[in-house]
Amino acid sequence: MDFTPSEEQTAAQGLAARIFGDLSTHERLVAAGTGTDAGLWKELCTAGLPGAVEDIGLLGLVLLLEEQGRSTAQVPLAATCVYGLLAVAEHGTREQRERLLPALRDGTAVATGAFPARGGVRAVDGALYGAVPWVPWLRDATHVLVADAERGLWIVDTRAPGVTVVAVETTAPWSAGRLGLDGVRGEPLGTGPGACAAVLAVGRIAFAGLQAGVCAGSLARAVQHTTTREQFGRPLSTNQGVLLRAADAHMDTEAIRVTAYEAAWRRDRQLDHEAQALTAAWWGSEAGRRVVHAGQHLHGGTGADLDHPVHRHFLWGRQLDAYLGCGAELLEELGLLIAGESREEGVS
C-alpha cells in the first residue's frame, strides 16, 4: 500500500488548506451561526474543489476534508461529495449523471443523505413515506439521498410536493433538519441494497477523514495554548502529565488518519474495503472522542468557554463520534462481518 498523494491530490489539498485558512476564521464562524458560510462555499466551488473529487477519488476527498476539519469550516463539502457527486457518479444512470452532476460540481445544487437507514422510510410503488429525525445540512440541500427500509436508494428533491423540512439544532452547527416524506415521488439510484452499503461505506470513510482534521485542529490549538501559557514560571507543556496527554491525542489522531487513508485507497482501487471502512469509522468515533476531550481539557478553564474556538472542535468531534454509528455499533458490525467471512471460508 502506498498512500502518497498524487500530484493532483496534493495540489487540491494545498488549495483547500489555503482557502479554509484564509476564509474560515473564528469571526466568520461566529457570524454564520448554525448555517453555511455561503461565501466560503462559493469560493470552494469557484475553485472547482467539489467537482475535482471525481478525478482525485475518495482519498483526495479525505485530504480535502482533513483541511476542512482543522478549521471546522461550515460548508456541506462532505455531504455533497458523498451523497451527491460520488453516489451519482458511481450508481447513477447516464441520464442522471448528465442531469445532476453539473449543478453539484459548481455548487448550485447541494446534496445530503438521510443516513444511516433505520427503517424510518418505506417505499410504496415509487412513493416515499416516513420521517428521518435529523439529516445534516438538510436546510441547505436541494437534494437528499434517502435510504428506505429495504435499503433502496432514492434521490429526493427537497422542494418536491410532500417534502417537509423542520429545523433541528444539534451539537455541531450543520444546518440539520428533520425530513418528512408523505407520498413523495423519489428517483431510484442504483439497484438493490448493494448501492446503499457502498454509499454508507464511502460516507464512513469520508467522515472519518473529517474527524481526523477536527482532531488535528483541536490538538494544534492545545499545543499552542500549553506552550505559551505559563504556570509557576514555566510553560504548561513542560509538565509530564500534559505531554503524555498530548502524545496520546497525537497517536489517536494518526490512527484515525491512517485507517481512513487505507480504506479510501482500497476503495479507489476497487478492492474490498467494507471492513476497512468500519475500522476507520470506529477509530473516528472512539479515538475522536478522546482527542477532542483532551484538547478541551488541556485548555483548562479556557476550554469551558463556549465561545472559544477549541469548543467548536469539541462539538464537531462529539457529533462525528455518533454520526453513521457510534463505536460499539461499529465494532459489532465489524465482528459480524469478520465472523461471516470466516464461515464462508470454512464452507469453501
Side-chain angles (χ1 to χ4, degrees), residues 204-215 252-260 276-292 316-323 325-327 330:
R204 283 170 166 164
I205 297 166
F207 282 95
L210 182 61
Q211 181 75 302
V214 169
C215 291
D252 273 338
T253 301
E254 289 302 299
I256 301 170
R257 176 181 290 118
V258 73
T259 52
Q276 286 75 17
L278 287 165
T279 301
W282 182 84
W283 275 104
S285 175
E286 293 288 302
R289 183 175 65 253
R290 290 195 296 266
V291 172
V292 296
W316 275 59
R318 288 311 309 264
Q319 192 70 55
L320 287 166
D321 161 30
Y323 185 52
C326 66
L330 295 164

Side-chain angles (χ1 to χ4, degrees), residues 167-318:
V168 173
E169 299 302 332
T170 64
T171 53
W174 290 353
S175 297
R178 180 184 186 275
L179 177 67
L181 302 168
D182 185 12
V184 178
R185 305 305 299 185
E187 182 180 346
L189 182 74
T191 56
C196 181
V199 171
L200 180 57
V202 169
R204 283 170 166 164
I205 297 166
F207 282 95
L210 182 61
Q211 181 75 302
V214 169
C215 291
S218 174
L219 183 58
R221 291 188 182 279
V223 169
Q224 194 277 335
H225 175 78
T226 56
T227 54
T228 56
R229 182 68 175 256
E230 292 189 356
Q231 187 179 61
F232 305 118
R234 63 176 185 172
L236 289 171
S237 59
T238 60
N239 295 319
Q240 188 178 44
V242 172
L243 289 171
L244 291 173
R245 191 80 189 273
D248 286 342
H250 171 73
M251 294 303 296
D252 273 338
T253 301
E254 289 302 299
I256 301 170
R257 176 181 290 118
V258 73
T259 52
Y261 283 7
E262 180 189 6
W265 179 85
R266 291 183 65 88
R267 185 266 181 189
D268 287 344
R269 282 155 181 76
Q270 299 182 338
L271 301 172
D272 291 339
H273 58 275
E274 187 177 0
Q276 286 75 17
L278 287 165
T279 301
W282 182 84
W283 275 104
S285 175
E286 293 288 302
R289 183 175 65 253
R290 290 195 296 266
V291 172
V292 296
H293 273 271
Q296 190 161 8
H297 186 199
L298 289 174
H299 278 76
T302 306
D305 183 355
L306 301 185
D307 296 323
H308 194 281
V310 77
H311 189 68
R312 188 176 293 107
H313 288 273
F314 174 77
L315 295 179
W316 275 59
R318 288 311 309 264

Side-chain angles (χ1 to χ4, degrees), residues 50-172:
V53 171
E54 294 174 81
D55 297 320
I56 62 178
L58 182 54
L59 180 56
L61 175 59
V62 166
L63 295 173
L64 299 184
L65 293 176
E66 272 195 83
E67 301 304 327
Q68 179 188 358
R70 291 178 197 275
S71 60
T72 59
Q74 289 177 204
V75 289
L77 180 61
T80 292
C81 291
V82 170
Y83 303 121
L85 281 160
L86 293 179
V88 173
E90 183 175 357
H91 304 289
T93 64
R94 179 177 179 180
E95 188 277 332
Q96 287 174 324
R97 293 194 298 270
E98 291 177 349
R99 173 167 47 86
L100 296 172
L101 289 179
L104 291 168
R105 293 179 187 126
D106 64 22
T108 54
V110 173
T112 188
F115 276 73
R118 299 192 186 279
V121 176
R122 54 192 176 88
V124 181
D125 298 328
L128 301 176
Y129 299 85
V132 181
W134 80 277
V135 179
W137 303 110
L138 181 61
R139 282 179 274 163
D140 297 321
T142 57
H143 298 80
V144 56
L145 188 62
V146 178
D148 65 28
E150 303 300 323
R151 304 187 76 187
L153 291 182
W154 304 82
I155 301 172
V156 173
D157 190 319
T158 56
R159 298 154 294 189
V163 176
T164 58
V165 175
V166 179
V168 173
E169 299 302 332
T170 64
T171 53

